[in-house]
């Protein structure tokens, strides 16, 4: 039929490498963005660079990409534990490093103040003033036994179980000599258990109540009046010095009076801190005996 039967331009469209113009017929080639290139030119000009190993990702390599970053599939591993992350959840962290979910959780988790290892979800822990420990790492500074979730006493940077705190720091009761772990009271700069600070006679606790001390013994008001206090030679009632009226006492020849009961038998003049005369066992002012 002749030359006119062939399509114009068919022989001029060569299947060549876009870059080096080498013919690609019968050769392996790569098509990218509508351009055909030989393997050599692809790896030299077009291939993405692995962000991990910094080498080109060749035509024969599997490529993974995320947010305009590229990896060989063999380089796509956890920065911390080196586990392959192909088809696994991951996180891109600082310096373009990928982390698996387990290592990410551990890295972001709070650190135990005892062992400095991460406390991850599900771990039993103890928290105190923005510090945290694994439960088994929270131990007594003295005996090194695990305190865990038990009671403890902080002292500076140290922590003590109840027993060690009692032995090392607790005050000792002035009466029973045992540690005072809670409550208690102080009298004359000495600590007491509340149950040890009692009336010597009726044994009632004296904390918060009025009492008096006589030769290292303590008495409530009632027992002091009944058992200890001297009886006034005038009114015959107990002289309870320090308990309300009658805080001053007059003593004369083994007898005692309330200050307001020490008065002249005849004229009833108050004689406390004044001159007086004793006649036939009775007290008179200096003037009345002259009138007898």
């Amino acid at each position: 039929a002749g030359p006119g039967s062939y399509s114009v331009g068919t022989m001029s469209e060569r299947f060549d490498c876009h870059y080096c113009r080498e013919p690609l017929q019968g050769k392996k080639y790569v098509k990218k963005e509508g351009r055909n290139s030989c393997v050599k030119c692809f790896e030299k000009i077009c291939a993405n660079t692995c962000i991990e190993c910094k080498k080109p990702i060749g035509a024969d390599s599997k490529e993974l990409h995320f947010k305009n970053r590229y990896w060989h599939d063999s380089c796509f591993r956890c920065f911390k534990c080196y586990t392959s992350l192909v088809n696994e959840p991951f996180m891109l962290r600082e310096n373009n490093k990928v982390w698996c979910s387990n290592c990410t959780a551990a890295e972001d988790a709070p650190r135990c103040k005892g062992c400095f290892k991460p406390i991850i979800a599900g771990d039993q822990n103890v928290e105190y003033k923005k510090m945290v420990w694994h439960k088994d790492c929270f131990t007594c500074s003295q005996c090194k036994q695990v305190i865990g979730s038990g009671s403890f006493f902080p002292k500076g940077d140290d922590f003590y179980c109840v027993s060690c705190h009692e032995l090392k720091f607790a005050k000792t009761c002035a009466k029973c000599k045992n540690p005072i772990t809670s409550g208690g009271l102080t009298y004359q700069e000495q600590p007491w258990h509340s149950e040890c600070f009692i009336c010597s006679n009726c044994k009632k606790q004296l904390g918060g109540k009025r009492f008096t001390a006589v030769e290292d013994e303590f008495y409530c008001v009632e027992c002091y009046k009944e058992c200890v206090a001297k009886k006034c030679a005038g009114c015959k009632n107990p002289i309870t010095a320090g308990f309300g009226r009658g805080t001053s006492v007059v003593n004369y020849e083994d007898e005692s009076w309330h200050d307001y009961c020490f008065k002249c038998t005849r004229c009833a003049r108050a004689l406390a801190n004044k001159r007086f005369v004793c006649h036939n066992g009775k007290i008179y002012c200096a003037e009345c005996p002259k009138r007898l």
Side-chain angles (χ1 to χ4, degrees), residues 64-250:
L64 294 132
H65 69 276
F66 178 72
K67 291 185 177 181
N68 296 321
R69 296 171 177 83
Y70 302 87
W71 293 264
H72 293 103
D73 65 338
S74 59
C75 292
F76 197 64
R77 295 178 176 274
C78 175
F79 173 73
K80 197 75 173 178
C81 67
Y82 304 109
T83 298
S84 174
L85 296 178
V86 177
N87 299 322
E88 297 292 334
F90 67 91
M91 179 174 286
L92 186 66
R93 297 175 66 91
E94 59 274 6
N95 299 323
N96 291 318
K97 300 299 183 181
V98 286
W99 294 58
C100 68
S101 55
N102 290 335
C103 289
T104 298
E107 183 70 13
D108 295 338
R111 296 278 170 172
C112 173
K113 188 172 173 60
C115 68
F116 305 106
K117 294 179 180 179
I119 297 175
I120 60 177
D123 286 347
Q124 290 185 312
N125 62 78
V126 177
E127 294 186 30
Y128 177 74
K129 288 188 175 180
K130 298 182 179 180
M131 296 181 288
V132 62
W133 294 259
H134 291 108
K135 186 176 179 180
D136 291 341
C137 293
F138 190 60
T139 59
C140 174
S141 298
Q142 183 76 12
C143 67
K144 308 304 180 184
Q145 295 298 310
V146 174
I147 297 174
S149 57
S151 298
F152 65 91
F153 292 87
K155 286 287 184 180
D157 293 332
D158 295 324
F159 300 89
Y160 296 89
C161 65
V162 174
S163 298
C164 289
H165 184 267
E166 289 179 2
L167 293 172
K168 192 173 181 68
F169 299 106
K171 295 180 179 179
T172 302
C173 176
K175 183 175 182 180
C176 70
K177 309 304 180 184
N178 291 321
I180 301 173
T181 58
S182 63
L185 51 86
T186 300
Y187 175 70
Q188 292 186 343
E189 299 183 355
Q190 287 187 312
W192 302 71
H193 289 113
S194 296
E195 58 271 22
C196 290
F197 196 70
I198 58 177
C199 174
S200 296
N201 185 58
C202 69
K203 309 305 180 185
K204 292 181 179 178
Q205 293 187 20
L206 298 175
K209 298 179 181 179
R210 298 175 68 197
F211 68 93
T212 189
V214 179
E215 296 180 354
D216 297 328
E217 298 289 343
F218 304 108
Y219 297 91
C220 64
V221 175
E222 291 75 16
C223 290
Y224 178 77
K225 290 179 180 179
E226 182 180 345
C227 305
V228 182
K230 294 180 179 181
K231 301 300 187 289
C232 175
C235 68
K236 309 306 179 183
N237 290 320
I239 301 174
T240 54
F243 299 122
R245 191 182 178 197
T247 56
S248 296
V249 182
V250 178

